[in-house]
C-alpha cells in the first residue's frame, strides 16, 4: 500500500538522521510522522551532513525497497530527493527535502547552526525546531511563495501564542516597520484578512528587512557559478521518446507516464515527432488515419524535408529542449527522428536511405527511447490503417533499430495496459536512478548487487 511505503520511508529516514547525523530537525509537517505526512519531509542538518546526505538517502532507499531516482538542487544548501516505489498499482513517490542553512530565492534566512542548537524533542522521539524558529520558517516560506491560506494563518497563530516573546522577536528581525507590527496583531488575534487581501506588501517589507551585505553576496558567487555549471553539464530534466508501430499504445502510455512523474519535475512538455521550432506549424486536422496515403516526394523535396527536420531538431534542442532540461523539465516525445528510419513514408520521403541515416546520427537524441513492441496480429487488431505486411516489416525494423541504440528499452505492449504502463515507468525509474547515482557520485556498497538493465 502507498501509505505503508511512505511510513516505512519516514521511519527509516528518522532512524538514519538519528544515527548518521550530528544533529537534525524536521522543519515542518511533522504532526503525524512517521505514520503519515502530506507531500514531502523537510529537514535540516549541518553542512557536513548535507554533503553526506546522498549516500544516507540511498541507504534509506535500499532499506525500504524504494529507488532514489531524482535529486534537485533548489538552493545552494537545499536539495530535494525523490524515492519511488512500484509495489502498488501506481508509482508512490516520497520526497525528503534536505537543507543546511535555510535559503529561499538565493537569500540565507536561517543558519543551520542557529536552528539546530535551539531544536526541541518531539513526543514522537525526533527533533523539531524551536517554536520561534518554526514560526519564522513558516512565515518566510509563505511570504516568499506568495501563498497564504487559513490553515497557514492558524498554524502561525498557534505557534505565536505558545511563545509570544520569541516569535515577536522573529517578526521584528525579518519584517520591520508597520507591516511587522501588523503581523504581530494578526498572529495574536488569528485575523489574517489583510494578508489574504494583499500579501505582496508584507513580502516586500520582509525582503527590505533582509538585505544581504556585499561581502556575503560575493562569498556565494563561486558556489553559485559552480551550481549553474553543474546544472548545465548534468541537467536534472529528462528527455524520453516513445516509438513503435501504429497500434502499440504510445499515447496511452505517454499520458500515464506524464501523470506518474510530474511531481518529480518542474513541468512536463509533450511533442509529436519534432520540436516544431523550425518549419510550418501543422493545421489541426485531427488524427492521421492513413499515414501512407499520399505519394512520396521527389528527391529534391525529400532532401529539403530532411534538412528541415535536422534544423528543427538541432535548433529545437539548443533553444527549447536543452533549456527545459536544465530547468528540470520532463520532455516527452510521441515518435522522434528515429521513427523515420523505420517509417519514412510517414513524411513522404523519397530520397536516398543513407541521407536519413546520416541525419539521424547528427541529430540530438533523447536520453531514453522506449520501444513499445507487440506481435503484428496484436497491432492489426488495434489499428487497421497500415497493411499487414507493412506492420510486420515495421515491427522487425523497430526491433533491429532498438538493438543499435544505446539508450533504447523494449517494452512488451501486448500485455494489459496497466502492465505496459508499469513496465514503462519501471524502465524510466531505472534510467533516472542510474543517472542520479552517477550525478551524486554514489557508488554501490561492496557486496551489493549493482542495478542492471532490466528486460522489461
Amino acid at each position: 500500500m502507498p501509505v505503508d511505503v511512505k511510513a516505512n520511508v519516514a521511519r527509516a529516514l528518522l532512524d538514519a538522521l538519528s544515527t548518521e547525523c550530528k544533529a537534525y530537525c524536521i522543519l515542518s509537517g511533522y504532526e503525524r510522522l512517521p505514520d503519515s505526512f502530506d507531500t514531502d519531509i523537510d529537514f535540516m542538518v549541518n553542512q557536513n551532513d548535507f554533503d553526506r546526505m546522498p549516500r544516507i538517502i540511498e541507504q534509506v532507499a535500499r532499506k525500504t525497497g524504494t529507488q532514489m531516482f531524482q535529486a534537485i538542487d533548489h538552493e545552494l544548501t537545499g536539495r530535494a530527493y525523490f524515492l519511488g516505489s512500484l509495489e502498488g498499482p501506481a508509482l508512490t513517490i516520497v520526497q525528503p527535502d534536505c537543507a543546511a542553512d535555510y535559503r529561499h530565492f538565493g537569500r540565507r534566512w536561517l543558519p543551520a547552526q542557529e536552528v539546530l542548537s535551539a531544536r526541541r524533542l518531539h513526543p514522537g522521539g525526533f527533533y523539531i525546531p524551536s517554536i520561534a524558529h518554526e514560526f519564522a520558517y513558516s512565515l518566510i516560506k509563505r511570504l516568499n511563495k506568495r501563498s497564504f491560506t487559513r490553515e497557514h494563518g492558524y498554524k502561525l497563530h498557534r505557534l505565536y501564542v505558545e511563545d509570544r516573546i520569541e516569535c515577536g522577536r522573529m517578526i521584528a528581525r525579518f519584517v520591520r516597520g508597520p507591516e511587522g507590527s501588523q503581523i504581530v496583531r494578526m498572529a495574536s488575534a488569528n485575523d489574517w484578512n489583510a494578508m489574504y487581501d494583499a500579501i505582496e506588501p508584507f513580502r516586500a517589507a520582509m525582503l527590505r528587512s533582509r538585505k544581504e551585505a556585499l561581502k556575503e553576496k560575493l562569498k556565494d558567487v563561486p558556489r553559485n557559478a559552480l551550481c549553474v555549471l553543474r546544472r548545465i553539464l548534468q541537467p536534472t530534466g529528462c528527455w524520453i521518446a516513445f516509438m513503435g508501430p501504429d497500434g502499440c499504445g504510445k499515447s496511452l502510455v505517454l499520458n500515464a507516464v506524464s501523470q506518474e512523474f510530474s511531481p518529480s519535475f518542474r513541468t512536463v512538455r509533450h511533442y509529436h515527432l519534432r520540436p516544431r521550432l523550425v518549419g510550418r506549424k501543422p493545421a489541426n486536422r485531427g488524427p492521421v488515419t492513413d499515414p501512407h496515403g499520399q505519394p512520396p516526394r521527389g528527391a529534391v523535396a525529400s532532401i529539403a524535408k530532411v534538412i528541415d527536420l535536422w534544423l528543427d531538431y538541432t535548433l529545437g534542442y539548443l533553444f527549447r529542449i536543452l533549456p527545459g532540461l536544465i530547468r528540470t523539465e520532463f520532455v516527452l516525445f510521441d515518435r522522434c527522428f528515429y521513427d523515420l528510419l523505420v517509417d519514412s513514408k510517414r513524411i513522404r520521403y523519397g530520397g536516398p536511405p543513407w541521407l536519413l541515416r546520416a541525419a539521424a546520427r547528427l541529430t540530438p537524441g533523447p536520453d531514453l527511447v522506449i520501444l513499445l513492441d507487440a506481435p503484428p496480429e496484436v497491432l492489426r487488431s488495434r489499428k487497421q490503417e497500415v497493411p499487414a505486411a507493412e506492420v510486420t516489416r515495421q515491427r522487425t525494423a523497430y526491433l533491429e533499430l532498438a538493438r543499435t541504440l544505446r539508450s533504447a528499452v523494449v517494452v512488451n505492449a501486448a500485455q494489459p495496459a496497466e502492465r505496459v504502463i508499469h513496465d514503462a515507468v519501471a524502465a524510466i525509474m531505472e534510467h533516472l536512478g542510474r543517472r542520479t547515482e552517477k550525478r551524486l557520485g554514489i557508488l554501490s556498497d561492496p557486496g551489493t548487487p549493482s542495478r542492471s538493465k532490466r528486460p522489461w
Side-chain angles (χ1 to χ4, degrees), residues 58 67-71 82 86 91 234-242 257 261 264-265 325 329-332 365-370 405-411 422-440 451-456:
E58 175 65 12
Q67 182 170 17
M68 181 174 68
F69 65 91
Q70 176 69 301
F82 295 82
L86 266 175
L91 176 62
Q234 297 177 322
T236 48
C238 188
W239 177 12
I240 297 177
F242 292 83
V257 163
F261 284 99
S264 46
F265 292 88
L325 298 178
E329 288 185 356
F330 197 38
V331 180
L332 300 175
D367 302 318
L368 179 67
V369 176
I370 296 181
L405 298 176
R406 182 172 54 86
S407 59
V409 174
V410 179
V411 171
H422 174 281
D423 289 355
V425 169
I428 294 170
M429 281 184 62
E430 190 73 20
H431 168 77
L432 292 174
R434 288 195 303 269
R435 188 186 71 168
T436 300
E437 286 186 356
K438 180 179 179 181
R439 183 163 59 86
L440 297 179
R451 291 193 180 97
S452 58
K453 202 169 185 179
R454 302 175 186 174
W456 305 116

Side-chain angles (χ1 to χ4, degrees), residues 30-214:
Y30 54 76
E31 289 81 4
R32 291 172 289 156
L33 281 176
D35 296 323
S36 178
F37 54 95
D38 293 329
T39 53
D40 53 3
I41 305 176
D42 295 336
F43 62 95
M44 178 176 280
V45 295
N46 63 35
Q47 186 63 50
N48 288 337
D49 289 331
F50 180 86
D51 295 337
R52 296 172 52 243
M53 196 52 58
R55 183 172 292 280
I56 295 173
I57 296 295
E58 175 65 12
Q59 291 172 357
V60 170
R62 293 187 183 279
K63 184 176 180 179
T64 56
T66 58
Q67 182 170 17
M68 181 174 68
F69 65 91
Q70 176 69 301
I72 301 174
D73 293 323
H74 50 82
E75 296 288 347
L76 281 179
T77 54
R79 178 182 292 141
Y81 298 89
F82 295 82
L83 307 183
S85 171
L86 266 175
E87 295 299 321
L91 176 62
T92 301
I93 296 176
V94 185
Q95 182 184 334
D97 198 327
C98 180
D101 296 337
Y102 173 58
R103 296 172 181 263
H104 214 153
F105 294 111
R107 300 191 186 197
R108 189 175 76 151
W109 300 93
L110 293 169
Q113 183 178 357
E114 174 189 334
V115 176
L116 295 174
S117 63
R119 64 183 182 157
R120 54 194 170 123
L121 185 64
H122 186 270
F126 50 86
Y127 286 95
I128 59 177
S130 69
I131 293 171
H133 282 124
E134 185 175 355
F135 179 92
Y137 170 79
S138 300
L139 178 64
I140 294 166
K141 188 174 184 178
R142 298 314 347 144
L143 291 179
N144 267 330
K145 288 192 171 185
R146 298 183 175 92
S147 171
F148 200 93
T149 66
R150 296 190 182 279
E151 183 180 352
H152 300 141
Y154 178 73
K155 177 181 178 180
L156 289 172
H157 164 70
R158 178 175 53 79
L159 291 168
Y160 181 83
V161 297
E162 284 190 63
D163 192 345
R164 292 174 182 269
I165 294 177
E166 291 302 321
C167 288
R169 287 175 178 168
M170 287 294 179
I171 295 172
R173 172 181 170 183
F174 291 109
V175 188
R176 299 171 188 153
E179 291 83 4
S181 301
Q182 193 170 4
I183 289 177
V184 169
R185 292 193 295 271
M186 290 188 294
S188 179
N190 193 29
D191 180 4
W192 301 91
N193 287 324
M195 189 79 79
Y196 302 142
D197 294 340
I199 196 172
E200 195 58 41
F202 296 98
R203 182 175 183 271
M206 183 182 70
L207 294 178
R208 288 195 302 270
S209 303
R210 182 61 184 92
K211 289 184 178 179
E212 290 186 319
L214 179 61

